[in-house]
Amino acid sequence: MGMGLVVSECQCLLKLFSSTKKKRSFHDLLRLTHKWTVVFHTKQHKNEKKPAKKLFPNSYLFKQWTVELSEDDQRKAEDLFQKYGYNAFLSDQLPLDRELPDTRDHRCIGREYPHNLPTLSVVLIYLDEALSVIQRAICSIINRTPAHLLKEIILVDDHSTNEDLKTQLHVYMSSINEKHPGLVKMVTHSEQKGLSQARISGWKAVTGDVVAILDAHIEVHVKWAEPLLARIQADRTLVLSPVFDSVNYYDLQVAKYPIYAHGFDWSLWCRYVGFPQKWYDQNDPSQPGKSPSVMGILVVDRLFFGEIGTLDGGMEVYGGENVELGIRVWLCGGSIEIVPCSKIAHIERAHKPYVSDISNVMKRNALRVAEVWMDEYKINVNIAWGLPIQNHGIDIGDVSERKKLRERLKCKPFKWYLENVYPELNPINDLLGYGVLINDLQTRLCLDKGPFEENTPILYPCNFMESQIFYYTASGEIFAHPLKFLKNNRNRYLIDPGSGRFPELSWCSDTEKQKHMYWDFKQISADQTGKYEKNVFLQDCRNQHWKIQNIIQDF
């Protein structure tokens, strides 16, 4: 309701009163007032906008981001969300120099660092990123890095197709370089080469003492660089990671993450893990802590990075290259630390727009890492991905140069890494077989976990999906997918509950094992009558045999 409407209605009412020649009674005036009040509210109601229809009620964006938008704006926001995996519509409306909440430990805030730290080059990698997100990353780096330490910002464009990244971004770069000559530079790929190659291209272009290789969908916090540079000044063989804060993909608000080390499972998917116990014994969460690996963002002495072989350029698209780096650094003379006083806010995408299914390329990259670095433990990667030990049929590319690098650097065996760096990773050296279990009387049916809430396995038409993957150990245990690769994690074991006709699936860890969970397959029987073909029975069966898909050792 505008103020002009109120004034005009009041003026009309006063004009009516003053123009009447007949003397009005007080009640007449009330009736007229009521009449015009009704008219006024009717006009006001007509001018009010109805709430826009919710066009995308099932969108991951609008399930979380509950704002009132016009239908046109909803379409724009959803289109941009599908394109980028985060709320680029909102990003375009936020200030490029927005403030971030200070999420550092209080002991970090007043900490002082030497003035004469190494110089820093920052590499930002992107592929069809939202323009405002890249601009905000650049702006935060310039505003929150001491000018005498910031040598340059290198943008690496891995063959983007967005027109605004070819025009408006260059205009933005030019405006910065007018104030800071030569500060922002760009490297462009004529074809998409993937994350590893893009990071290598950025490293080749930098000239600073230290290189920080970051995603472009980040914002750095205040005093982010000094703790990293001070650590590398003290030890050039360190590879460092700041601590990430999460930027919600839907409203771009910053959420503080707990401080963890970076690890991985045998499929080489990254995951957060605990620090070594001595880090916790310090009772000071502002101190750097040793880590088995890095999530991807890394800060390293520029020359040392070259000496240890940068990244594996044979990796495709995305995934596994950070785990490969983590293993190689530890085995070949360096170490990895997480630095809690350095904070970077990182947008957590709802989906990766540049590839619809990352699992296939991740599988291929993981096998490549295993072949070069994991020695006798490389079969665990096959097991994790459900692949046969021999002849998995996946082309991992030429690894001869990476094997020569390992020899040249005189790197330690992977067993040393498991024992000294990442003892939490279960070596799973007691498996005899894995995959689907098929009974010879019902060869079209496989053992299946059945409905999750029932914990009762069944026979089901073979589909070779995760619900039908089982693992058989030398001690006679059978447990179900997914295999828990960290020690003391709980696995889902097949047990004999001790009563009734049917086996069950039960959660337990190595310290909680139950009595009736050791099998030689003679106790598990498939129905032979055809009446209960989906049931698995507990009984002594002499004429049935079970076959497990992949055999590691004969049993």
Side-chain angles (χ1 to χ4, degrees):
M1 179 177 66
M3 197 64 190
L5 180 62
V6 177
V7 172
S8 63
E9 294 295 347
C10 290
Q11 286 174 339
C12 287
L13 189 60
L14 290 172
K15 191 174 183 179
L16 176 66
F17 288 162
S18 62
S19 63
T20 53
K21 295 179 180 179
K22 183 179 178 182
K23 188 176 181 181
R24 303 277 185 180
S25 69
F26 178 73
H27 292 289
D28 290 333
L29 292 177
L30 280 180
R31 283 194 298 272
L32 284 170
T33 303
H34 174 70
K35 173 184 175 182
W36 280 96
T37 301
V38 171
V39 171
F40 168 71
H41 283 297
T42 302
K43 288 184 178 182
Q44 179 191 17
H45 180 72
K46 287 181 179 179
N47 285 323
E48 286 181 350
K49 290 184 178 179
K50 294 181 179 179
K53 179 183 177 182
K54 302 297 184 184
L55 300 181
F56 307 101
N58 297 319
S59 165
Y60 281 111
L61 174 62
F62 288 105
K63 282 182 177 180
Q64 300 282 352
W65 192 43
T66 55
V67 296
E68 292 293 332
L69 293 179
S70 68
E71 292 185 6
D72 283 346
D73 283 348
Q74 288 181 60
R75 292 187 185 95
K76 291 176 186 176
E78 180 64 16
D79 286 346
L80 290 171
F81 172 65
Q82 293 301 327
K83 184 175 183 178
Y84 296 114
Y86 50 71
N87 194 343
F89 179 84
L90 175 60
S91 174
D92 292 345
Q93 301 173 53
L94 294 176
L96 296 183
D97 61 346
R98 70 166 180 166
E99 291 187 11
L100 298 180
D102 194 340
T103 59
R104 295 174 297 165
D105 184 271
H106 66 91
R107 281 159 282 211
C108 297
I109 295 173
R111 193 163 292 169
E112 296 296 330
Y113 300 92
H115 181 78
N116 60 337
L117 290 169
T119 57
L120 177 67
S121 297
V122 180
V123 176
L124 296 177
I125 309 296
Y126 64 91
L127 170 62
D128 288 331
E129 201 84 61
L131 173 64
S132 60
V133 165
I134 299 176
Q135 291 174 318
R136 192 170 294 109
I138 295 170
C139 187
S140 74
I141 292 165
I142 294 172
N143 289 347
R144 296 171 187 147
T145 310
H148 73 285
L149 298 178
L150 183 60
K151 187 72 177 287
E152 63 209 345
I153 300 173
I154 307 292
L155 305 180
V156 181
D157 184 343
D158 193 24
H159 196 55
S160 296
T161 57
N162 288 6
E163 190 59 35
D164 57 2
L165 299 184
K166 301 174 184 178
T167 54
Q168 297 178 52
L169 181 55
H170 287 268
V171 172
Y172 183 68
M173 287 173 55
S174 298
S175 68
I176 292 173
N177 287 333
E178 286 179 6
K179 300 177 182 177
H180 312 281
L183 182 62
V184 185
K185 306 167 187 175
M186 182 177 288
V187 175
T188 58
H189 288 173
S190 58
E191 60 181 6
Q192 186 179 339
K193 295 183 178 181
L195 191 60
S196 285
Q197 287 285 7
R199 287 173 169 169
I200 293 170
S201 294
W203 170 76
K204 288 179 178 178
V206 302
T207 59
D209 301 320
V210 173
V211 56
I213 302 178
L214 314 177
D215 296 333
H217 43 276
I218 57 92
E219 295 162 78
V220 300
H221 283 265
V222 64
K223 222 168 186 176
W224 75 284
E226 293 93 317
L228 301 167
L229 296 174
R231 287 297 298 144
I232 291 176
Q233 187 177 58
D235 183 354
R236 70 182 294 271
T237 67
L238 286 170
V239 175
L240 304 178
S241 173
V243 170
F244 307 132
D245 283 334
S246 175
V247 178
N248 300 331
Y249 70 83
Y250 50 92
D251 63 6
L252 302 185
Q253 293 296 304
V254 177
K256 181 179 178 180
Y257 259 18
I259 301 171
Y260 285 112
H262 302 167
F264 54 89
D265 58 25
W266 282 112
S267 59
L268 305 199
W269 288 114
C270 296
R271 59 182 60 220
Y272 288 112
V273 296
F275 289 104
Q277 185 57 44
K278 61 182 180 181
W279 184 83
Y280 297 99
D281 293 341
Q282 296 176 109
N283 198 28
D284 183 357
S286 71
Q287 294 299 321
K290 295 297 183 183
S291 176
S293 188
V294 285
M295 286 288 187
I297 288 176
L298 60 106
V299 182
V300 60
D301 179 276
R302 175 174 59 88
L303 297 179
F304 176 70
F305 196 47
E307 292 164 13
I308 63 167
T310 63
L311 291 167
D312 181 357
M315 294 290 189
E316 292 182 353
V317 188
Y318 169 92
E321 74 289 328
N322 49 333
V323 173
E324 190 271 349
L325 174 65
I327 294 170
R328 174 161 42 91
V329 166
W330 276 107
L331 293 183
C332 306
S335 60
I336 294 173
E337 286 183 355
I338 311 299
V339 182
C341 286
S342 175
K343 284 293 194 83
I344 288 184
H346 175 267
I347 298 178
E348 299 292 340
R349 294 184 194 263
H351 59 269
K352 297 187 186 300
Y354 46 81
V355 59
S356 57
D357 182 6
I358 197 67
S359 62
N360 285 333
V361 70
M362 179 66 195
K363 183 192 305 180
R364 180 258 183 202
N365 289 347
L367 291 168
R368 184 178 173 91
V369 177
E371 182 62 31
V372 177
W373 297 104
M374 292 187 171
D375 305 328
E376 69 270 27
Y377 296 93
K378 67 182 180 181
I379 68 169
N380 290 349
V381 177
N382 296 60
I383 293 168
W385 285 101
L387 298 170
I389 301 298
Q390 304 293 334
N391 303 318
H392 52 65
I394 297 174
D395 182 6
I396 64 171
D398 184 4
V399 295
S400 59
E401 289 301 317
R402 302 309 287 181
K403 289 185 174 181
K404 289 178 184 177
L405 172 70
R406 180 175 180 176
E407 292 176 8
R408 186 169 68 251
L409 295 176
K410 296 180 173 57
C411 304
K412 297 181 177 70
F414 188 73
K415 184 177 182 181
W416 177 89
Y417 178 84
L418 284 181
E419 293 173 349
N420 296 278
V421 178
Y422 199 10
E424 295 82 11
L425 188 63
N426 185 358
I428 53 173
N429 49 18
D430 63 341
L431 281 188
L432 300 180
Y434 60 98
V436 298
L437 281 164
I438 305 175
N439 187 278
D440 62 353
L441 295 182
Q442 299 276 10
T443 56
R444 67 182 183 85
L445 300 177
C446 291
L447 189 66
D448 191 285
K449 287 186 288 188
F452 186 85
E453 65 276 4
E454 295 182 15
N455 291 318
T456 303
I458 61 174
L459 287 175
Y460 195 79
C462 296
N463 55 33
F464 298 87
M465 304 292 283
E466 292 180 355
S467 65
Q468 296 182 350
I469 303 298
F470 290 85
Y471 306 88
Y472 185 57
T473 71
S475 57
E477 300 156 349
I478 300 174
F479 43 92
H481 185 91
L483 182 63
K484 301 299 181 182
F485 296 112
L486 298 183
K487 291 178 181 177
N488 298 322
N489 280 159
R490 292 162 65 88
N491 281 296
R492 208 169 174 212
Y493 287 83
L494 188 71
I495 66 165
D496 175 358
S499 60
R501 301 179 62 196
F502 308 112
E504 293 181 359
L505 289 165
S506 177
W507 292 96
C508 56
S509 68
D510 287 343
T511 59
E512 307 169 320
K513 289 186 176 179
Q514 304 182 28
K515 294 180 180 179
H516 306 291
M517 59 184 297
Y518 303 100
W519 307 86
D520 60 10
F521 290 105
K522 295 178 181 178
Q523 313 96 321
I524 309 172
S525 174
D527 174 48
Q528 302 181 52
T529 66
K531 295 181 180 178
Y532 309 101
E533 68 170 13
K534 287 192 176 182
N535 290 117
V536 182
F537 298 97
L538 290 172
Q539 63 184 33
D540 186 15
C541 51
R542 299 176 181 177
N543 299 318
Q544 295 188 28
H545 298 89
W546 291 86
K547 178 181 178 181
I548 195 164
Q549 186 181 10
N550 298 299
I551 303 295
I552 301 173
Q553 300 177 44
D554 290 332
F555 57 92

